[in-house]
């Protein structure tokens, strides 16, 4: 059941499923990506903020130490810094050498002894960033420089004289950052959805719609047997789809031409080009029904050739075929476009004449007999001709006469004329 449902999906449905899946994946993945970006951004901002604050604190402390401020005055400055910015906890630890030269500092001694991060920073003089779920701790070692040796005469260049320890709560950064990232994330999702929607619409217009039109055209051709129907490519269609439509139209034109040829072969006599007996019978029944329904005249003329057999016997069938073609031309040239000329036997022809009364039919029969008699057919060095006995009959709508009776009367009229001609020649 699932397989049948999948197989029955259209291209448009597949595009919609893919579009929806991508949109859902983007929406589902956004919180994960945003969370990752938030953590990375918090670390970068916290590190930058702590480094900036440490440098400011160091610059400030260095300036007051050069002025000769006492340890208690320096501690007061640090307290004021913490009170000024309650989001940060700033501490300054002295090295053992500085404490020995300028006086003991219990918090520094305790940190050197009990805090492994502080102890390691004093040992290698490297900056450290220690992250936790709620805060970022940044340790900034104060290395002895040339300008420091004038006061710290027991220190060597590059020794760690102290450490500025700053703890920065990350929640202070997370709140505005989270709002910014989420807004940007949803903006990204909205942009992605809009982009995929635009892509979906373009694919429907450029690919799905042309295929649907091709399918609808094929269905119309099958349902209505209309081989003349064509697909009209649009200017916005891709070149490949337009090529498919052009090839389809070419195929349909060839198919229509082949069908027309087959149709003509099925209703035409192969030798003379006249309609055959099958087409004559079909047209006769149709015209008879119309004549009876609307009370209109309808006539039939049967033509039987005279002196045709001797031509076949003496000059051969090729000569007989040439004569039959000539007779067909003479008949077609002397009837109306609404009349139908058919070859219904070896040397027998029939003319179906709608809207033709009895007098008109007899006059037409006489005209056709004369036209055939006057027709000269060139065959090699010969000029061949035949005669024609033409019998006419007219349908009487009021009597309810059928086509069989109509044809029988025309046949009788034709043989009456043929008998009279034989008697006349005798």
């Amino acid at each position: 059941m699932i397989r049948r449902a999948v197989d029955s999906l259209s291209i448009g449905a597949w595009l919609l499923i893919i579009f929806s899946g991508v949109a859902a994946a983007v929406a589902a993945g956004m919180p994960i990506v945003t969370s990752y970006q938030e953590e990375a951004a918090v670390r970068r901002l916290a590190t930058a903020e702590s480094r900036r604050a440490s440098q400011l604190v160091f610059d400030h402390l260095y300036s007051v130490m050069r002025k000769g401020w006492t340890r208690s005055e320096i501690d007061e400055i640090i307290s004021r810094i913490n009170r000024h910015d309650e989001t940060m906890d700033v501490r300054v630890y002295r090295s053992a050498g500085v404490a020995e030269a300028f006086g003991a500092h219990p918090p520094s001694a305790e940190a050197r002894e009990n805090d492994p991060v502080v102890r390691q920073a004093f040992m290698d003089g490297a900056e450290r960033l220690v992250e936790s779920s709620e805060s970022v701790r940044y340790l900034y070692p104060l290395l002895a420089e040339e300008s420091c040796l004038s006061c710290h005469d027991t220190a060597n260049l590059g020794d760690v004289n102290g450490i500025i320890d700053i703890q920065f709560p990350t929640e202070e950064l997370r709140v505005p950052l989270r709002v910014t990232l989420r807004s940007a994330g949803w903006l990204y999702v909205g942009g992605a959805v809009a982009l995929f929607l635009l892509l979906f619409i373009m694919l429907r217009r450029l690919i799905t719609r042309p295929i649907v039109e091709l399918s609808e055209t094929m269905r119309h051709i099958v349902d209505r047997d209309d081989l003349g129907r064509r697909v009209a490519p649009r200017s916005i269609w891709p070149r490949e789809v337009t090529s498919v439509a052009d090839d389809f139209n070419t195929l349909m034109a060839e198919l229509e031409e082949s069908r027309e040829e087959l149709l003509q072969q099925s209703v035409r006599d192969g030798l003379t080009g006249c309609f055959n007996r099958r087409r004559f019978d079909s047209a006769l029944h149709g015209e008879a029904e119309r004549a009876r329904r609307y009370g209109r005249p309808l006539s039939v003329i049967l033509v039987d050739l005279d002196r045709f057999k001797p031509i076949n016997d003496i000059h051969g069938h090729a000569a007989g075929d040439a004569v039959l073609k000539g007779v067909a031309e003479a008949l077609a040239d002397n009837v109306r476009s609404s009349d139908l000329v058919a070859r219904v036997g070896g040397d027998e022809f029939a003319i179906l004449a709608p809207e033709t009364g009895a007098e008109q039919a007899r006059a037409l029969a006489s005209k056709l007999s004369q036209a055939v008699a006057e027709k000269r057919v060139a065959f090699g060095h010969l000029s061949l001709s035949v005669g024609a006995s033409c019998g006419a009959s007219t349908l009487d709508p009021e009597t309810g006469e059928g086509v069989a009776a109509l044809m029988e009367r025309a046949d009788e009229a034709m043989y009456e004329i043929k008998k009279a001609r034989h008697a006349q020649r005798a």
Side-chain angles (χ1 to χ4, degrees), residues 254-324:
E254 293 177 355
L255 183 60
E256 184 180 20
E257 183 178 349
S258 298
R259 181 181 180 182
E260 184 61 28
E261 291 178 0
L262 291 174
L263 180 61
Q264 290 301 319
Q265 291 174 10
S266 69
V267 299
R268 293 278 182 179
D269 175 58
L271 176 63
T272 63
C274 295
F275 288 104
N276 57 21
R277 183 61 182 260
R278 176 184 177 186
R279 178 70 180 98
F280 177 80
D281 288 343
S282 174
L284 175 60
H285 283 82
E287 288 296 334
E289 177 64 26
R290 189 181 72 87
R292 283 191 291 265
R293 179 180 302 174
Y294 299 106
R296 305 303 299 171
L298 172 67
S299 295
V300 171
I301 300 172
L302 293 182
V303 180
D304 186 71
L305 300 185
D306 301 327
R307 306 188 307 278
F308 177 73
K309 188 174 184 302
I311 292 177
N312 255 347
D313 294 341
I314 297 172
H315 302 293
H317 290 288
D321 290 346
V323 169
L324 290 174

